Amino acid sequence: MMSTRLTGAFAPAVTPFKADLSPDFDLYVAHCRWLQQQGAGLAVFGTNSEANSLTVQERMMLLDGLIERGLDAARILPGTGCCALPDTVALSRHATLHGCAGVLMLPPFFYKGVSDDGLFEYYSQVIERVGLQGLRVFLYHIPAFSGVPISLNLIERLATRYPQQVRGVKDSSGDWANMEAMLRNFPQLDIFPASESLLSRAMPLGAAGCISATININPGAISALCANWAEQGAQQAQAKVDVIRQIIQKYPMIAALKWTIGHFRDQNNWQVQRPPLQPLSASQHADLLAELQAAGFSMPGLEAA
Amino acid sequence: MMSTRLTGAFAPAVTPFKADLSPDFDLYVAHCRWLQQQGAGLAVFGTNSEANSLTVQERMMLLDGLIERGLDAARILPGTGCCALPDTVALSRHATLHGCAGVLMLPPFFYKGVSDDGLFEYYSQVIERVGLQGLRVFLYHIPAFSGVPISLNLIERLATRYPQQVRGVKDSSGDWANMEAMLRNFPQLDIFPASESLLSRAMPLGAAGCISATININPGAISALCANWAEQGAQQAQAKVDVIRQIIQKYPMIAALKWTIGHFRDQNNWQVQRPPLQPLSASQHADLLAELQAAGFSMPGLEAA
C-alpha cells in the first residue's frame, strides 16, 4: 500500500473577528485563499488561530465555508483536539468527511499530570469513534500551552496500534533534541517543526516541512524554502525568512500577525482578538512597522486573492 | 439593598458514566440528591466533576435534568468557565435562567501568560453578554490546572466594576497566604477554600464555607462543620473530616471518590472515567477500602436518596 505523505508549509491561519467578536468570514476566506495561492497549506484552528476561543459550531461553520468557497481540502489540516472527547470526535469526523488532509490534534489539556495510558486511551477512543477510513491524525505536542506533553513513548504506541490513522506530529516544544529524536525514531511519520527557523536543520533529517505562525504573513518564501532546502541559495533564503520571524517574535505573536495583515491589506477589522487576548498598542504598531519596513518586508499577491 | 450571601459546603459532584462513556443520568441524580439531603450544596461541573471532559450540551442536559427531578437550584453552583467566550456565556445564561445560586467560572485556560487586562475584558464580556439580573459570578482560582491565576488585582477590579454580579471566589491554589489575603481584602465576597481541612483557620476570618472534592463522600460531616465551626466539639469534628481527606488524597482524587461511591452504593458503573483520566487499579481498591474501614468511614442515608 502506498501512503500519501504530507509536506510543505502549513499556516495556522489567524482568525479575523468583527467588532462584535463574531468571526469575520469574508476577511477569513480572503486570507486563506491568499495563503493557498502563495503555496502554503492551511493548518486552520491552531494555537495562533485562537482555535480554543472558538466554539465547536464556529469551527465547523468556518471550515464548511472555506470548502464551499473552493479552497483545496487536500491542503487543509484543521485543529480538532478539545478537552472533551465528544467534541474532538465531532470535529475530526467533520474535517475527515470534507476530505481534509488530516487533523491536528491537541491532547485534552485541562487535567495535568495524566498518564500515557490515559492519553493512549483518549486518542484510541477518538480514532475508533470517528470510524472513518480517511482519518489522518497528526499529534500536537505543545507543552507550554497544553501542559500535557506527547511523549515519544506515546507516539510509538499510537503509531504502532494505528499505522493507518496516526500519520504525523507537530512539535511546538522548541526543544531541538526532542525534534531530532522524533525525526530519527519515526521515519514513517510526517514530522513538522513549529518554526521555519528549524528548516535547514530539520529537512535534511527528514522533516515534512513546518507549521509555523509566521507563514500567515510570509507564505511564499517559507513554502519555497520547504521545497528547495537542498538547492543552491537555500542558506540565504533561510536567513531571509529568519529575519522576519525574529521581528514578529518580539511582539505578542497573534496580535503582531493580525496587525501586519491588517496593515498590508488596509483592513482595520484585523485588530480584533477574542479576550483574553489583546491587540497591540499604538506604539507597538509603529515599532513593528518600522522594523518590517527596514527589513524590506512585503506581502505580494494580495490584490489577486 | 440586602444581598444574599452564599454559605456552606458545596460538592463538586462527580459525574458517573456508562460503559459507553455517556453520562449515567440515573446514578447522577441519585448521587446529587443524596448530597443535598445530607446538607451539601452542589458545585456541579467542577474540576472533580470532569466538567471539561463534558460538552456544553451535555452540561446543559445534566443541569436541566437535576432541576426537572426536583433538586434545589438555589443550592446549585454550576461550573461554566470554558476557553471560548460564547460557550461560557451560553452555560452561564442557562444556569442563571434555572435560578441557580451562581456560576463558578474558570478563566479561559488555553493561553498562558495572559494579562489581567485581558482577563478583565473576558469576564466583563461574559457578564455583559449574559445580561441577566440574576447572574452571580464566583471566580475560580486554580492555577495548577488552568495555568491562568486569578490575581487579587483582577478580583478587586471586577468586584468594583460589577458589584452586583461578582459575588465570590473559590481558591484552589492551596496557598494559605493567598486565601488569607482574599478573606481580608474582600469581606464583601463569599470566599470558598477548596478543602475542608482549612475550615478551622478560614471560617474565623470570614470564609463562606468550602467547595471540596471530598464532600462527595462526606457531605454531612463537612456541612455540619461549616455551620458549627465556632461551637464546642468543632476541633474534634475538624480532625475527623481531615482523616478521611488524608486517606483520599493518597490516590488520584476523582478515581478514589468514584470508587468509594460505587463501593458503598454497590454500583459498578461508578468506576468509569472519561479518558484521559483512569480508574484505580484493583490493588488500589483494596488499599483504599482498608484505610477507609480502619477510619470507621461510612456513607449514611444512601437508602433514602
Side-chain angles (χ1 to χ4, degrees):
Chain A
M1 182 184 64
M2 277 287 289
S3 77
T4 321
R5 303 295 296 249
L6 196 66
T7 59
F10 282 75
V14 290
T15 309
F17 296 104
K18 298 179 187 171
D20 69 0
L21 301 182
S22 65
D24 189 323
F25 186 64
D26 289 334
L27 292 197
Y28 186 63
V29 174
H31 177 57
C32 289
R33 180 167 284 140
W34 174 73
L35 290 168
Q36 284 203 342
Q37 286 172 348
Q38 293 290 309
L42 300 173
V44 295
F45 318 137
T47 298
N48 287 285
S49 313
E50 300 174 66
N52 294 108
S53 300
L54 298 169
T55 67
V56 166
Q57 210 57 41
E58 286 174 332
R59 294 203 219 185
M60 287 187 180
M61 287 172 64
L62 287 171
L63 182 59
D64 290 341
L66 289 181
I67 307 290
E68 197 213 345
R69 304 266 189 116
L71 279 89
D72 180 9
R75 297 290 292 165
I76 302 182
L77 182 69
T80 62
C82 301
C83 292
L85 176 68
D87 287 337
T88 305
V89 171
L91 287 172
S92 300
R93 264 193 85 79
H94 179 257
T96 304
L97 290 170
H98 269 308
C100 287
V103 296
L104 184 55
M105 207 178 285
L106 278 169
F109 54 84
F110 182 70
Y111 295 103
K112 305 302 191 278
V114 296
S115 67
D116 273 4
D117 284 349
L119 291 171
F120 180 83
E121 176 66 14
Y122 179 90
Y123 281 112
S124 298
Q125 285 285 344
V126 173
I127 291 167
E128 306 280 354
R129 284 164 188 253
V130 170
L132 295 170
Q133 285 287 328
L135 178 66
R136 302 282 177 270
V137 175
F138 292 75
L139 304 167
Y140 189 2
H141 177 53
I142 181 168
F145 285 91
S146 68
V148 179
I150 309 285
S151 71
L152 298 173
N153 169 61
L154 177 63
I155 298 169
E156 173 80 42
R157 287 175 62 186
L158 285 168
T160 303
R161 175 67 186 80
Y162 299 103
Q164 177 72 19
Q165 291 88 1
V166 175
R167 301 300 274 270
V169 184
K170 178 184 179 190
D171 180 10
S172 296
S173 68
D175 171 0
W176 175 257
N178 187 65
M179 176 86 252
E180 204 172 5
M182 283 185 181
L183 290 166
R184 294 202 189 279
N185 293 4
F186 309 116
Q188 79 277 31
L189 299 183
D190 299 328
I191 314 276
F192 291 85
S195 167
E196 65 277 16
S197 64
L198 297 177
L199 286 172
S200 62
R201 295 171 78 187
M203 296 302 284
L205 300 181
C210 66
I211 303 173
S212 165
T214 30
I215 299 169
N216 273 288
I217 60 167
N218 205 12
I222 299 172
S223 297
L225 183 57
C226 285
N228 307 323
W229 60 272
E231 308 291 314
Q232 252 198 345
Q235 205 178 335
Q236 296 94 306
Q238 176 74 67
K240 273 185 82 171
V241 302
D242 286 352
V243 167
I244 302 305
R245 184 171 181 92
Q246 283 154 15
I247 293 171
I248 295 293
Q249 277 185 324
K250 296 182 194 172
Y251 301 86
M253 181 72 88
I254 303 172
L257 295 171
K258 285 189 156 182
W259 185 84
T260 302
I261 295 166
H263 176 79
F264 282 88
R265 285 186 172 274
D266 200 15
Q267 288 166 337
N268 247 322
N269 260 9
W270 277 101
Q271 305 314 311
V272 182
Q273 291 187 255
R274 277 198 174 165
L277 300 186
Q278 300 219 294
L280 298 188
S281 67
S283 75
Q284 286 176 315
H285 295 172
D287 293 346
L288 175 55
L289 181 59
E291 292 197 77
L292 289 172
Q293 286 175 332
F297 176 77
S298 69
M299 289 175 61
L302 284 181
E303 311 71 28
Chain B
M1 184 184 64
M2 276 289 289
S3 77
T4 321
R5 303 295 296 250
L6 195 68
T7 60
F10 282 74
V14 290
T15 310
F17 296 105
K18 298 179 186 171
D20 69 0
L21 302 182
S22 65
D24 189 322
F25 187 64
D26 289 334
L27 292 197
Y28 187 62
V29 174
H31 178 57
C32 288
R33 179 168 285 140
W34 175 72
L35 290 169
Q36 283 203 341
Q37 286 172 347
Q38 292 291 310
L42 300 173
V44 295
F45 317 138
T47 298
N48 288 287
S49 313
E50 301 175 65
N52 294 107
S53 300
L54 298 168
T55 68
V56 166
Q57 209 57 41
E58 286 173 333
R59 293 203 219 185
M60 287 187 180
M61 287 172 63
L62 287 171
L63 182 59
D64 290 342
L66 290 181
I67 307 290
E68 198 213 346
R69 304 266 188 117
L71 279 90
D72 180 7
R75 297 291 293 166
I76 303 181
L77 181 70
T80 62
C82 302
C83 292
L85 177 67
D87 287 337
T88 305
V89 170
L91 287 172
S92 300
R93 264 191 86 77
H94 179 257
T96 304
L97 289 171
H98 268 309
C100 287
V103 295
L104 184 56
M105 206 179 285
L106 278 169
F109 54 84
F110 182 70
Y111 294 105
K112 305 302 191 277
V114 296
S115 67
D116 273 4
D117 284 350
L119 291 171
F120 180 83
E121 177 65 15
Y122 179 90
Y123 281 112
S124 298
Q125 285 285 343
V126 173
I127 291 167
E128 306 279 354
R129 284 165 188 251
V130 170
L132 294 170
Q133 285 288 329
L135 177 66
R136 302 282 178 269
V137 175
F138 293 75
L139 304 166
Y140 190 3
H141 177 53
I142 182 167
F145 286 90
S146 68
V148 178
I150 308 286
S151 71
L152 298 173
N153 169 59
L154 177 63
I155 298 169
E156 172 80 43
R157 287 174 63 186
L158 285 167
T160 302
R161 174 68 185 80
Y162 299 103
Q164 177 73 19
Q165 291 89 359
V166 175
R167 301 300 274 271
V169 184
K170 178 183 179 190
D171 180 9
S172 296
S173 69
D175 172 0
W176 174 256
N178 187 66
M179 176 85 251
E180 203 173 5
M182 282 184 180
L183 289 167
R184 296 204 189 278
N185 292 6
F186 309 115
Q188 80 276 31
L189 299 182
D190 300 328
I191 314 275
F192 291 85
S195 167
E196 65 276 17
S197 64
L198 297 177
L199 286 172
S200 62
R201 293 171 80 186
M203 296 303 284
L205 300 181
C210 66
I211 303 173
S212 166
T214 29
I215 299 170
N216 273 288
I217 60 167
N218 205 12
I222 299 173
S223 297
L225 183 58
C226 285
N228 307 324
W229 60 272
E231 310 290 315
Q232 253 197 343
Q235 205 178 336
Q236 296 95 304
Q238 176 75 66
K240 273 186 82 171
V241 300
D242 286 353
V243 166
I244 303 306
R245 184 171 182 91
Q246 282 154 16
I247 294 170
I248 295 292
Q249 276 185 326
K250 295 181 195 171
Y251 301 85
M253 180 72 88
I254 303 173
L257 295 171
K258 285 188 157 182
W259 185 84
T260 302
I261 295 167
H263 177 79
F264 281 88
R265 285 184 172 277
D266 200 14
Q267 288 166 337
N268 246 322
N269 261 7
W270 277 101
Q271 305 314 310
V272 182
Q273 291 188 256
R274 279 200 173 163
L277 300 185
Q278 300 219 295
L280 299 188
S281 67
S283 75
Q284 286 175 315
H285 295 173
D287 294 345
L288 174 55
L289 181 59
E291 292 197 75
L292 288 173
Q293 285 175 332
F297 175 78
S298 69
M299 289 175 62
L302 284 181
E303 310 70 28

